[in-house]
Amino acid sequence: ERWYQTLAAAAKFYQSELAQTPAVLAYLEKRGVTAATIQTFGLGWAPPGWRNLITALERLGLTRNDLRSTGLTVDRETSSYDRFRERIIFPLSDNLGRVVGFSGRVFVPEESLATVEPGAKYVNTPETELYNKSKILYGYYQAKLAIRQADAAIVVEGQMDLLVARQAETLNVVAVSGT
C-alpha cells in the first residue's frame, strides 16, 4: 500500500509540474492532445534536475527505500537521483486504476533541438513488485468497459497513438508498454 501511495504522490508531483510548464503544454497541444485528455490520463512533466522528485516526496515523509522500490530513483553507491528528468510523464496504471509505474518521453524545446543530445526517446520504470511491463497495457483502465462492450481491443504501439485514438472516440484502444 505504501508503494501505491508513493507512486500516486509522484504522479501528483509530475501533474503539478506540467501545469506550470507552458512549453510542454504547448508541445502537447501542437501534437493534438487536449487538456481533457491530459487530465483523464494524468500526464505530467519531470523537470530538469537530478533531485526534484526525491526532495518533494521526502518532504511528504516518503523514504529512499519507497522511491527505490517503486523505480522512481536510480541509486549509486553514495547517492540517488531522479530516474525521470526533462520528460513528459505517462502514468502506467493497473486494472484498478492504481499507478504502478511511469513512462517518460523526452522533451527538448524546439529552440534547443540543434544543440541538445536528448538521449533515449523513452525511459520506463524498471520491473518492480508492482510493475511488470508484460502484464500492463497503457490505457487499459480507461478502456476496459469499451473493450467489454465491443468485445475487442485495438492495440497500438505507443502512448501518443493511444491518446489521439481516444480523442477520435476510439475508446477500446490500449498501448503496449515497451517493444
Side-chain angles (χ1 to χ4, degrees):
E1 187 57 36
R2 185 159 174 96
W3 292 344
Y4 287 118
Q5 292 170 358
T6 300
L7 291 161
K12 283 185 181 180
F13 170 81
Y14 293 137
Q15 291 161 10
S16 174
E17 290 295 317
L18 177 59
Q20 301 172 52
T21 312
V24 179
L25 289 168
Y27 169 80
L28 290 169
E29 183 179 332
K30 183 178 175 182
R31 291 284 309 265
V33 180
T34 67
T37 297
I38 290 170
Q39 184 173 2
T40 297
F41 286 88
L43 302 187
W45 167 246
W50 295 93
R51 299 183 48 79
N52 295 308
L53 182 68
I54 292 170
T55 300
L57 296 188
E58 284 181 342
R59 283 189 194 130
L60 297 176
L62 297 165
T63 67
R64 295 240 173 129
N65 186 54
D66 296 326
L67 300 174
R68 180 178 25 299
S69 298
T70 54
L72 292 169
T73 59
V74 176
D75 290 334
R76 297 288 182 225
E77 285 185 31
T78 58
S79 65
S80 300
Y81 60 89
D82 294 349
R83 179 173 306 279
F84 302 102
R85 299 172 312 282
E86 295 186 80
R87 293 185 179 273
I88 298 167
I89 298 296
F90 300 88
L92 306 171
S93 300
D94 64 12
N95 64 328
L96 300 176
R98 300 173 297 191
V99 176
V100 294
F102 298 94
S103 182
R105 185 190 190 286
V106 71
F107 170 78
V108 178
E110 285 188 34
E111 63 272 9
S112 302
L113 282 175
T115 60
V116 173
E117 181 65 38
K121 187 173 183 179
Y122 281 91
V123 171
N124 299 311
T125 295
E127 300 273 323
T128 67
E129 293 289 324
L130 300 180
Y131 175 68
N132 179 319
K133 74 178 181 180
S134 298
K135 296 181 179 179
I136 298 291
L137 290 169
Y138 180 68
Y140 177 74
Y141 176 71
Q142 293 86 348
K144 64 184 179 179
L145 179 60
I147 290 170
R148 268 190 236 124
Q149 290 172 341
D151 196 26
I154 298 169
V155 181
V156 296
E157 182 181 6
Q159 290 97 351
M160 292 298 285
D161 299 327
L162 178 138
L163 298 179
V164 173
R166 289 279 306 201
Q167 289 178 168
E169 299 193 25
T170 303
L171 304 181
N172 60 328
V173 64
V174 294
V176 292
S177 294
T179 55

